[in-house]
Amino acid sequence: MSDLRAKYLTAIAGAKDEAALEALRVQALGKKGEISLAMRELGRMSAEERQQAGPRLNALKDEINAALTARKQALTDAALDERLRGEWLDVTLPARPRRQGTIHPVSQVTEEVTAIFADMGFAVAEGPQIESDWYNFDALNIPGHHPARAEMDTFYTHRAEGDDRPPHVLRTHTSPVQIRAMQAQGAPLRVIAPGRVYRADYDQTHTPMFHQVEGLAIDRDISMANLKWVLEEFVKAFFEVDHVDLRFRASHFPFTEPSAEVDIRCSWDGGTLKVGEGDDWLEILGSGMVHPKVLEAGNIDPNEWQGFAFGMGIDRIAMLKYGIPDLRAFFESDLRWLRHYGFAALDVPTLHGGLSR
Ligand code: DAH
């Protein structure tokens, strides 16, 4: 009997898996198992012999059962350990540094401009990029034969054969938003309209798509003096300087009367632009008093209301402020360029928090 004990306990301790354990259980305790057969032998023994062998066999049966259970548990524990070792994860490891996206200079400058004008009470207005030629030209006092239409290198959309309506255009400037804002909101009115504009042109300072911001202020007695103050405040805030000189040069735009182009005093000493000092002048925008016909196109009575308007190139002032030499690179999606000139994603420009920091 001690042979049986040694045989099974050793075999159970060495079993590699559950199937091996089950085979041993059947071999020892199954119907025809060695222990079961030995139990059956008890019937043929004398009473004394049986009293000796019975309890010992029962004890052996219990011992083998216990060994089977223990080994099975050990195998399960080992499997779990093995799995935990394989799936182990060091949660204290530092995260892999990820490449972060950046804010494009055009978006950055649009936000800066919007923050500055918002502070002066200007809301943001919008209009479609595919515009009717009435909004883009006629309503702005640019009639069909006007040279400005040809000068603007307009992209026209296609009309079906036999459709005589004038084609829509890709808006050549943000000025049509003036008309839409006047029609939608009436007077008094104070809006800026930043957005994309299109002209067929391509060189170092021109791309077929670029960005402008339009400004429009309408009230009962708005004058060029108000325009000058607003622009001075804007230029100081935008270039982050305490002092600026503006120069108004008489000019001509069909939608303003009088019209002026505005230059700012600057220096290019050492190749970098400094605003507010020096002997150079830099043109930054077109402006003027809104033409009475333009007010009328916006359903505003020119006998009661007047106002100023201006239009400025966003990409151009972005190039000036951030020293970016070639406009075409703005729209080439070169990641190296974006990483170099881009802005941190969470630095939203505000006047109190700093525009470009
Ligand atoms: N629309 C003009 C352009 O694209 C810019 C402009 C000039 C806008 C004078 C104005 C303005 O509102 O008053 O060149």
Side-chain angles (χ1 to χ4, degrees):
M1 198 173 296
S2 63
D3 289 354
L4 274 181
R5 182 173 179 277
K7 170 178 163 188
Y8 280 108
L9 293 186
T10 311
I12 289 169
K16 292 273 176 284
D17 52 29
E18 277 196 48
L21 280 178
E22 177 60 11
L24 284 167
R25 192 191 63 77
V26 171
Q27 194 186 334
L29 309 170
K31 258 191 207 152
K32 292 180 182 159
E34 273 188 287
I35 308 289
S36 310
L37 292 179
M39 296 277 220
R40 233 170 283 165
E41 293 297 310
L42 289 174
R44 270 187 251 141
M45 290 179 184
S46 68
E48 274 157 46
E49 280 175 327
R50 200 181 309 134
Q51 256 176 14
Q52 286 272 319
R56 282 174 59 200
L57 266 177
N58 264 325
L60 178 57
K61 184 179 159 192
D62 288 348
E63 203 178 352
I64 289 175
N65 264 324
L68 284 167
T69 309
R71 181 64 188 155
K72 188 170 168 189
Q73 187 61 50
L75 285 174
T76 310
D77 289 351
L80 182 62
D81 279 352
E82 174 83 20
R83 206 180 124 201
L84 288 177
R85 254 196 308 282
E87 295 174 9
W88 180 82
L89 186 74
D90 183 355
V91 295
T92 67
L93 268 184
R96 227 178 298 137
R98 276 239 251 129
R99 285 244 181 251
Q100 228 193 358
T102 58
I103 301 295
H104 194 284
V106 169
S107 304
Q108 169 75 19
V109 165
T110 303
E111 291 292 328
E112 293 181 15
V113 169
T114 304
I116 296 168
F117 281 105
D119 198 54
M120 293 190 274
F122 287 76
V124 171
E126 287 180 318
Q129 294 174 41
I130 300 172
E131 189 54 284
S132 76
D133 76 335
W134 187 82
Y135 278 104
N136 196 78
F137 295 122
D138 301 73
L140 291 161
N141 194 32
I142 311 173
H145 54 79
H146 197 282
R149 288 211 186 195
E151 273 164 27
M152 281 200 176
D153 303 308
T154 312
F155 286 112
Y156 290 91
T157 62
H158 184 72
R159 283 265 188 228
E161 191 103 19
D163 186 339
D164 294 334
R165 289 172 302 165
H168 280 75
V169 301
L170 296 188
R171 70 179 182 194
T172 57
H173 49 181
T174 43
S175 301
V177 187
Q178 286 189 33
I179 309 295
R180 291 184 176 275
M182 285 190 277
Q183 289 178 340
Q185 299 174 44
L189 186 63
R190 235 185 292 174
V191 290
I192 58 164
R196 295 182 169 179
V197 300
Y198 302 84
R199 292 181 203 176
D201 209 351
Y202 188 70
D203 61 31
Q204 193 177 345
T205 52
H206 297 89
T207 50
M209 185 281 293
F210 59 106
H211 301 80
Q212 286 186 336
V213 56
E214 196 78 10
L216 176 67
I218 310 264
D219 213 319
R220 295 194 186 272
D221 47 23
I222 284 209
S223 71
M224 291 287 271
N226 301 119
L227 171 66
K228 182 162 188 280
W229 182 84
V230 164
L231 292 179
E232 271 169 5
E233 290 301 300
F234 167 73
V235 172
K236 278 194 285 185
F238 181 73
F239 287 103
E240 302 176 53
V241 293
D242 294 330
H243 174 79
V244 289
D245 277 329
L246 295 195
R247 182 171 78 176
F248 281 64
R249 259 182 308 109
S251 182
H252 175 78
F253 301 103
F255 28 89
T256 43
E257 180 57 41
S259 303
E261 278 172 300
V262 176
D263 304 335
I264 53 179
R265 183 187 290 283
C266 69
S267 97
W268 285 104
D269 274 359
T272 53
L273 172 72
K274 285 204 195 67
V275 168
E277 53 188 78
D279 298 320
D280 282 326
W281 293 92
L282 191 67
E283 183 194 322
I284 57 157
L285 57 87
S287 65
M289 296 301 292
V290 181
H291 196 289
K293 285 191 179 170
V294 173
L295 291 171
E296 272 169 9
N299 300 329
I300 287 178
D301 183 354
N303 296 313
E304 251 189 88
W305 305 96
Q306 59 188 23
F308 65 73
F310 60 86
M312 185 163 51
I314 291 182
D315 324 79
R316 177 169 159 75
I317 62 172
M319 291 168 79
L320 292 172
K321 179 168 180 178
Y322 294 112
I324 307 172
D326 191 324
L327 177 63
R328 290 169 294 197
F330 275 64
F331 311 115
E332 280 168 359
S333 301
D334 182 332
L335 279 178
R336 291 161 306 175
W337 186 92
L338 286 167
R339 280 184 199 123
H340 182 77
Y341 288 111
F343 292 82
L346 295 176
D347 287 348
V348 179
T350 58
L351 289 185
H352 53 276
L355 280 183
S356 58
R357 275 175 299 276

